[in-house]
Amino acid sequence: MEQWARAVGRGAGLVVVALLVGAGAWAYGTAKITVNTLDEVLKANPLPADKTAHVTWKSKAGNSELQVIKMNKIKLHHHSQEDHVLYVARGQGTARLGDETRQVKAGDILNLPKGIPHSFAKEGKENLVLLVVATAGWKP
């Protein structure tokens, strides 16, 4: 069974856009849009020396959440209630999904179904930076 969705592409500049919407905000015209570049987010939020992975930024929209995760390693774990879609924004490394291990690099997109064990480890000097969208049920 194919458990990976993979697409490779590179953009000249990646902008993280977060829609911060309260209940009914669109109906009343009170929605706020904030714009940050990925470079700004990463510079302002370095990986703490005592951690192997760190959520450097996140934004919630409806029942989904976008996180920017900087890491050198995330141990094997699974999520029982939500699916994840990941975009590898920086770095390269090894990803494990179930019994399969793959090399990943900047520009790759991965589909992580709920209930499937997964882990990541960087290769080289640069930390992995993942943009993670978690579907409804996300409980970090």
Side-chain angles (χ1 to χ4, degrees):
M1 174 198 286
E2 182 64 29
Q3 295 180 348
W4 292 78
R6 181 178 171 149
V8 178
R10 298 197 195 282
L14 180 61
V15 177
V16 179
V17 178
L19 299 177
L20 305 173
V21 181
W26 286 112
Y28 299 103
T30 59
K32 283 178 79 176
I33 296 175
T34 60
V35 177
N36 297 289
T37 68
L38 184 58
D39 289 335
E40 290 169 340
V41 168
L42 296 174
K43 184 177 180 180
N45 299 284
L47 182 65
D50 63 335
K51 295 192 177 209
T52 61
H54 180 63
V55 175
T56 61
W57 184 88
K58 63 184 174 180
S59 178
K60 197 164 187 150
N63 290 328
S64 297
E65 184 170 279
L66 170 68
Q67 295 184 342
V68 176
I69 300 177
K70 187 186 289 190
M71 76 178 75
N72 57 49
K73 180 171 56 171
I74 289 182
K75 66 182 180 176
L76 188 66
H77 67 287
H78 76 279
H79 304 278
S80 60
Q81 299 196 22
E82 76 281 344
D83 299 312
H84 289 182
V85 176
L86 285 88
Y87 175 76
V88 181
R90 303 274 193 280
Q92 62 184 14
T94 303
R96 177 177 166 192
L97 178 61
D99 295 332
E100 187 177 357
T101 301
R102 286 248 177 124
Q103 298 301 116
V104 294
K105 65 186 179 318
D108 289 352
I109 298 171
L110 295 82
N111 177 30
L112 301 178
K114 63 184 168 191
I116 303 295
H118 55 279
S119 64
F120 295 89
K122 77 171 185 172
E123 293 178 356
K125 293 182 180 182
E126 185 178 17
N127 284 321
L128 280 170
V129 175
L130 304 178
L131 304 183
V132 180
V133 176
T135 61
W138 172 243
K139 291 184 171 68

